[in-house]
Amino acid sequence: SSEVLEAIENVIQDVFESLSKKQAPVLTVTRRSDWRNIEFKDSVGLQMVPYCTTKQIRSDCPRSATKFALMLKILSMIYKMVQSNTYATKRDIYYSDTQLFGNQSVVDNIINDISCMLKIPRRSLHILSTTKGFVAGNLSYTEEDGTKVNCTCGATAVTVPSNVQGIKNLNSHAKFILIVEKDATFQRLLDDDFCIKLSPCIMITGRGIPDLNTRLLVRKLWDTFQIPVFTLMDADPHGIEIMCIYKYGSVSMSFEAHHLTVPSVKWLGLLPSDLKRLNICKDVLIPLTKQDQNKLASIQKRPYIACQPMWKKEACTNLLFLLEIMAASKMKAEIQALTSLSSDYLSRVYLPNKLQFGGWL
């Protein structure tokens, strides 16, 4: 807490010193989404380089004056919360003055800029994310307020905690962790009792692009239990992108990579090569868009692909295969395509075989 308060006080002191010199105060923030500021390290993933290019949020510039004021406003809110040991979600901050902030994305962006500027993780700023992820399986833990949570696999899952840092007494006999891209697939595996039929496991879904809490939980489980972590994604560029976020991190949050990435994540499926191997019928595929092609081309140029030759082979297979399918029928594949083989093929055949015979990358 003292570290956070001191960091904010230093920022405000700089503002006062500028004013005392009759100079316009500025806030200097890192260009978080600039690939020139990002490097790849195999043990961490995407991380910021020591000396990044920055931009100034000036108080005397019409284009940035509003953001300057909003950053000071949110800094003051953080300061009060840390002093009083209270917490708020990003949504709470937005709704504290919706007319002032305009929209939620403005608040989200400023909070990330502040976290990066202060070099302090967002959760230490007493700002919590609204959770959208679910967890189920062989796992129990105690939340910060003493609530005991049992994620025993059943018809329903447990919401990922909003304060992952505060959970303790984690207990599990799971043999592996399975990250599932989509909520529908996650629920189907729950209905099929997948968590207990094959072997004890923990299942997590971020319901698409994962929120911060889901990524934090995956990392905490991996740190705690040191068991294999697999991903089950669609065989399309969007699925590959999501898998890479868990494994290597994202550009915008690269300043927190050490707390968010799990470099040992394995790509279990759905692999592009599986589509041919299993003779998936073209009738169950869906359209491949121009956006998909651009996304895949972007992924292939990223630094972590060059360090993973087998991944690059699969990515190339994905590109060539999907382009081939597109030329013939303008289609691509999702996990649900496996139901064309049988309704329970995913949980009864596909995943058990993959896990038993090592069919991952």
Side-chain angles (χ1 to χ4, degrees):
S1 297
S2 60
E3 180 187 351
V4 177
L5 296 177
E6 182 180 356
I8 296 175
E9 288 165 1
N10 289 337
V11 172
I12 302 305
Q13 183 177 345
D14 289 342
V15 171
F16 281 139
E17 287 180 356
S18 295
L19 290 172
S20 68
K21 297 175 184 177
K22 296 185 178 181
Q23 298 173 350
V26 299
L27 298 174
T28 303
V29 299
T30 301
R31 296 183 182 274
R32 293 182 293 108
S33 298
D34 191 337
W35 276 97
R36 292 173 298 178
N37 288 336
I38 309 300
E39 65 180 359
F40 172 73
K41 188 175 181 181
D42 193 52
S43 62
V44 178
L46 299 176
Q47 62 179 7
M48 281 194 162
V49 297
Y51 302 99
C52 300
T53 60
T54 60
K55 60 182 177 181
Q56 289 188 330
I57 311 299
R58 301 189 61 86
S59 60
D60 62 346
C61 175
R63 294 195 336 184
S64 62
T66 299
K67 182 171 183 178
F68 179 90
L70 292 179
M71 287 186 72
L72 291 187
K73 169 69 174 176
I74 293 178
L75 278 169
S76 72
M77 296 175 74
I78 293 170
Y79 195 87
K80 291 175 182 176
M81 288 190 295
V82 174
Q83 277 189 319
S84 61
N85 195 31
T86 56
Y87 291 81
T89 65
K90 294 185 298 180
R91 202 73 175 154
D92 293 333
I93 292 176
Y94 168 63
Y95 276 109
S96 69
D97 197 329
T98 56
Q99 290 188 339
L100 176 66
F101 293 117
N103 60 68
Q104 182 69 59
S105 63
V106 170
V107 174
D108 297 350
N109 185 57
I110 288 176
I111 289 171
N112 286 338
D113 277 340
I114 287 175
S115 177
C116 187
M117 178 179 70
L118 300 180
K119 295 181 173 55
I120 294 173
R122 192 168 70 195
R123 55 201 172 278
S124 297
L125 301 178
H126 285 226
I127 297 176
L128 305 175
S129 298
T130 303
T131 296
K132 67 173 185 174
F134 291 122
V135 58
N138 193 290
L139 174 68
S140 62
Y141 57 85
T142 305
E143 293 190 339
E144 189 176 34
D145 63 359
T147 302
K148 294 183 178 180
V149 179
N150 188 353
C151 303
T152 301
C153 202
T156 59
V158 174
T159 303
V160 170
S162 58
N163 187 0
V164 175
Q165 187 183 30
I167 66 175
K168 55 189 177 181
N169 301 328
L170 285 87
N171 184 50
S172 176
H173 300 290
K175 303 300 182 184
F176 62 90
I177 299 167
L178 180 65
I179 302 171
V180 183
E181 175 185 353
K182 292 181 175 179
D183 184 42
T185 304
F186 180 85
Q187 293 297 332
R188 180 56 195 262
L189 291 173
L190 278 181
D191 293 340
D192 290 346
D193 292 328
F194 176 77
C195 297
I196 56 177
K197 280 187 176 179
L198 184 63
S199 63
C201 73
I202 300 170
M203 285 203 314
I204 297 177
T205 179
R207 301 169 69 191
I209 297 175
D211 59 278
L212 185 66
N213 291 328
T214 302
R215 293 172 62 187
L216 284 168
L217 181 60
V218 171
R219 176 60 191 247
K220 191 177 187 76
L221 293 175
W222 181 66
D223 284 339
T224 304
F225 302 119
Q226 291 293 303
I227 55 179
V229 182
F230 301 106
T231 59
L232 178 63
M233 308 285 160
D234 288 336
D236 65 12
H238 189 67
I240 296 174
E241 172 94 293
I242 292 172
M243 172 181 49
C244 290
I245 289 174
Y246 284 107
K247 185 176 178 72
Y248 296 124
S250 60
V251 176
S252 62
M253 294 296 291
S254 59
F255 62 94
E256 280 203 55
H258 290 79
H259 308 289
L260 296 174
T261 61
V262 181
S264 66
V265 159
K266 304 298 183 185
W267 183 7
L268 184 66
L270 184 64
L271 300 184
S273 54
D274 291 336
L275 304 178
K276 287 185 177 181
R277 181 176 60 85
L278 298 173
N279 293 317
I280 300 296
C281 178
K282 293 181 180 180
D283 292 340
V284 300
L285 306 181
I286 60 176
L288 176 70
T289 66
K290 180 65 176 177
Q291 185 179 10
D292 291 327
Q293 297 177 61
N294 293 337
K295 172 70 72 177
L296 194 53
S298 170
I299 292 171
Q300 288 181 285
K301 295 176 183 177
R302 295 179 189 176
Y304 46 71
I305 294 295
C307 297
Q308 296 284 344
M310 286 302 292
W311 277 49
K312 189 170 184 179
K313 179 181 176 182
E314 280 294 333
C316 289
T317 301
N318 197 7
L319 176 61
L320 295 174
F321 178 76
L322 293 178
L323 289 177
E324 177 184 327
I325 292 295
M326 182 185 65
S329 59
K330 299 181 181 179
M331 307 297 261
K332 65 180 180 182
E334 292 189 341
I335 297 170
Q336 285 78 3
L338 295 176
T339 59
S340 65
L341 302 175
S342 72
S343 60
D344 61 349
Y345 188 84
L346 175 64
S347 60
R348 182 176 57 85
V349 180
Y350 182 82
L351 289 176
N353 285 342
K354 282 274 186 171
L355 293 164
Q356 181 179 353
F357 298 112
W360 58 75
L361 295 179

